[in-house]
Amino acid sequence: MKTNCENFRYVEKYRPYRDLTFKFYNNGRLVIIDNSNEEVISPRDLRSDSRDFYIRRRIAFIKNQLTASQLKYA
């Protein structure tokens, strides 16, 4: 199975501004990268606006996966 990835870039709205890249893989894996120091961070290290962005993207990703599965087996 080929592993596809959706990339999203997000810059936090409050100081200190972090430039983050979210990588959602189709197998459920997630990688969050702080672009300023190229460090991988975990979802628990996210703050209010970046956490909200992560949650919304994660929910959309799960919905898309469910829809694709339903269409596959319908």
Side-chain angles (χ1 to χ4, degrees):
M1 180 177 179
K2 184 178 177 186
T3 304
N4 291 331
C5 177
E6 289 186 47
N7 294 318
F8 297 98
R9 186 173 180 193
Y10 185 79
V11 178
E12 291 182 332
K13 298 175 185 173
Y14 304 105
R15 291 184 185 252
Y17 305 109
R18 289 191 297 182
D19 181 9
L20 304 171
T21 299
F22 294 82
K23 294 185 176 191
F24 293 95
Y25 293 92
N26 64 350
N27 62 3
R29 198 174 113 208
L30 167 72
V31 177
I32 305 171
I33 301 170
D34 185 349
N35 294 322
S36 61
N37 55 11
E38 297 188 12
E39 185 177 280
V40 176
I41 62 174
S42 69
R44 80 175 76 119
D45 295 331
L46 298 174
R47 290 183 281 236
S48 61
D49 59 325
S50 57
R51 181 174 287 163
D52 184 55
F53 176 81
Y54 159 69
I55 291 170
R56 290 178 188 277
R57 283 289 154 195
R58 189 66 165 184
I59 290 171
F61 179 77
I62 291 169
K63 283 182 180 179
N64 289 339
Q65 292 291 92
L66 287 173
T67 302
S69 294
Q70 287 176 340
L71 291 174
K72 182 178 177 181
Y73 295 111

